[in-house]
Amino acid sequence: MTLCSTVHEQTRLIHGDTPCDVLERTPAPPIQRGSTVLLPTCEALYHGGRVNYGRGGLTTQRVLRDALRDLEHADEAFIYPSGLTAITGTLLALLSAGDEVLACDTVYNPTRRFLAGTLARYGVQARYFDPADSAETIRAMITPATRVIFLESPGSLSFEMQDVPAIAAMAKEAGVTTVIDNTWAAGVFFKPLDHGVDVSIQSLTKYVCGHSDVFMGLAAAKGAAADLLAASSYEVGWAVSPDDAYMAIRGLRTLSTRLARHGAAALEVAEWLEAQPEVQSVMCPALPSDPGHAIWKRDFTGMCGLIGAVLQPASEEAVAAMVERFELFGLGFSWGGYESLAIPVDPQVKVRTHKHSYPGPVLRLHIGLENVGDLIADLRRGFDTLSQETSAPQTKLRAAG
Ligand SMILES: *Cc1c(COP(=O)(O)O)cnc(C)c1O
């Protein structure tokens, strides 16, 4: 912009630089920061049809949304400040007072908390089906109030697979919208919208951002569900910063490469775990021994780095000693970053409607990008500690649930 030569420095400091039309081409998109959007004419103001305020996202968010829309084979992709707000935002968009949700009993626990808390206050009921229930069993639970079926396959703590195509087809016939938490597949290994699901949600915090330093969520949708999400996002006003959107775009560049590495290493660890005396069973749908293997093989094209193991009965203290003995596996929630994590979990045994128990403590592992031999050696050190602690007398043995 050229300023009239008589303006004061005070004014020049404010108006003197070029408004941020992009001047140079780079492989990476610009981080366009902005709340105000400058309109070229009053015509643009009066007759709209273009972005006129930064809250809904500018260039950087647009680039990310387009890439995520393509990744999930969606009509439209919406981004949220966290994975949890993608879940809560989707439910707010799809549900009204008097409606009912049928949810898988193994949904991410904060999803259950939102259904029991905010949505119950708003007059929405939730009922739960067992992750092993067939489409026919779920169909029998549908009432005229049922609006949404919420899936998560595999469950992020307990790894049960669901027959998503059959459930989505049944729901479509019944006029019920299906939503899935697709974080485990990272939008890469499973394309829910190709299998009839209406909304695919991801915590982008996990593999897409991939470096344990950004919170973000995605809801990718088709058809009428996409229209409802668009209207609700506009009304509610979710905003994601361009800096965070940039980090997610950067994560996408290496997503398939990282996932291939996470998955290959996790499969190697899973096979190793199966052969260890401290382990009763391994929770990893890519293993032929896993009860969900047939569905995984039919619907998925790969696996990520998140697996679980049911250990031989051991005291809480012995499990803690093992986890604290690990040098490479950090003790923490979340997953999808470059680093390995190990956490003792109670796979929702207390909150589930359909009771399920495990014959020993459950350990969830995220296999990072470290050398897999180093990771296995670290696990062996921890298991040695576990065995020593467990063979000591007077320890109280514990099973989860
Ligand atoms: C982490 C996680 C979420 C929530 O994502 P945030 O970005 O942490 O809010 C949702 N679903 C699953 C399966 C997750 O693991």
Side-chain angles (χ1 to χ4, degrees):
M1 175 161 38
T2 38
L3 290 174
C4 140
S5 60
T6 58
V7 301
H8 295 88
E9 185 176 79
Q10 180 189 359
T11 303
R12 189 169 293 280
L13 284 170
I14 291 172
H15 288 282
D17 59 351
T18 311
C20 54
D21 291 334
V22 175
L23 299 179
E24 320 293 348
R25 264 166 48 86
T26 50
I31 297 176
Q32 186 179 28
R33 302 188 64 91
S35 51
T36 300
V37 170
L38 297 172
L39 302 171
T41 59
C42 282
E43 174 67 15
L45 172 66
Y46 300 148
H47 298 112
R50 54 182 293 150
V51 174
N52 64 9
Y53 191 48
R55 186 170 51 218
L58 302 171
T59 305
T60 321
Q61 292 94 336
R62 190 70 246 169
V63 168
L64 174 61
R65 288 178 58 186
D66 288 352
L68 293 169
R69 178 199 61 209
D70 294 349
L71 177 69
E72 290 272 3
H73 299 175
D75 289 345
E76 193 72 75
F78 303 90
I79 49 175
Y80 300 81
S82 65
L84 182 56
T85 46
I87 293 167
T88 60
T90 296
L91 292 172
L92 287 172
L94 299 177
L95 294 159
S96 306
D99 288 348
E100 182 190 61
V101 179
L102 299 180
C104 180
D105 218 1
T106 51
V107 289
Y108 182 60
N109 207 46
T111 303
R112 182 186 292 268
R113 207 156 56 210
F114 182 71
L115 288 165
T118 306
L119 282 187
R121 276 197 294 114
Y122 285 16
V124 174
Q125 300 294 313
R127 283 187 296 143
Y128 291 87
F129 53 87
D130 191 273
D133 282 346
S134 66
E136 286 67 42
T137 306
I138 300 168
R139 187 207 304 265
M141 292 174 71
I142 291 178
T143 71
T146 308
R147 192 75 52 226
V148 166
I149 292 177
F150 197 106
L151 306 168
E152 186 175 319
S153 177
S156 68
L157 291 176
S158 44
F159 300 90
E160 296 92 339
M161 297 294 299
Q162 294 167 261
D163 190 344
V164 175
I167 297 169
M170 176 279 291
K172 191 142 289 172
E173 245 180 66
V176 175
T177 303
T178 43
V179 178
I180 191 167
D181 185 329
N182 194 33
T183 304
W184 192 88
V188 169
F189 298 134
F190 183 53
K191 308 285 186 189
L193 303 192
D194 288 351
H195 294 274
V197 173
D198 297 294
V199 185
S200 176
I201 292 175
Q202 271 192 66
S203 167
L204 302 175
T205 309
K206 308 293 163 54
Y207 286 109
V208 169
C209 291
H211 293 72
S212 310
D213 53 4
V214 180
F215 274 102
M216 205 182 301
L218 162 72
K222 260 189 176 161
D227 296 339
L228 290 170
L229 285 170
S232 183
S233 285
Y234 184 65
E235 287 171 23
V236 176
W238 310 108
V240 168
S241 84
D243 306 78
D244 285 349
Y246 182 88
M247 294 307 276
I249 293 165
R250 176 189 267 228
L252 283 173
R253 315 287 188 204
T254 56
L255 180 63
S256 60
T257 309
R258 284 185 286 113
L259 279 172
R261 184 69 194 266
H262 281 292
L267 189 59
E268 198 174 329
V269 171
E271 283 165 352
W272 178 84
L273 285 169
E274 276 198 309
Q276 304 311 303
E278 292 83 0
V279 175
Q280 295 196 55
S281 62
V282 179
M283 297 187 284
C284 168
L287 283 179
S289 60
D290 190 282
H293 183 68
I295 292 178
W296 176 83
K297 206 168 160 194
R298 185 192 66 190
D299 296 343
F300 282 55
T301 56
M303 69 173 282
C304 70
L306 194 72
I307 58 176
V310 181
L311 305 175
Q312 299 294 351
S315 68
E316 205 166 271
E317 295 74 24
V319 172
M322 169 190 70
V323 169
E324 288 164 16
R325 177 74 180 82
F326 294 143
E327 289 168 13
L328 300 176
F329 283 86
L331 171 59
F333 279 111
S334 198
W335 45 288
Y338 50 83
E339 81 289 16
S340 291
L341 297 168
I343 192 161
V345 291
D346 156 3
Q348 304 179 317
V349 287
K350 293 191 192 69
V351 296
R352 280 197 200 182
T353 304
H354 304 271
K355 292 303 168 207
H356 189 85
S357 63
Y358 292 84
V362 178
L363 182 68
R364 189 176 78 168
L365 296 174
H366 178 251
I367 306 306
L369 299 175
E370 301 95 335
N371 177 282
V372 66
D374 292 344
L375 293 177
I376 286 174
D378 200 35
L379 289 170
R380 189 62 255 165
R381 274 193 293 273
F383 284 169
D384 288 344
T385 302
L386 179 71
S387 295
Q388 284 156 18
E389 296 277 326
T390 306
S391 58
Q394 98 275 1
T395 43
K396 207 167 98 250
L397 298 186
R398 178 176 183 273

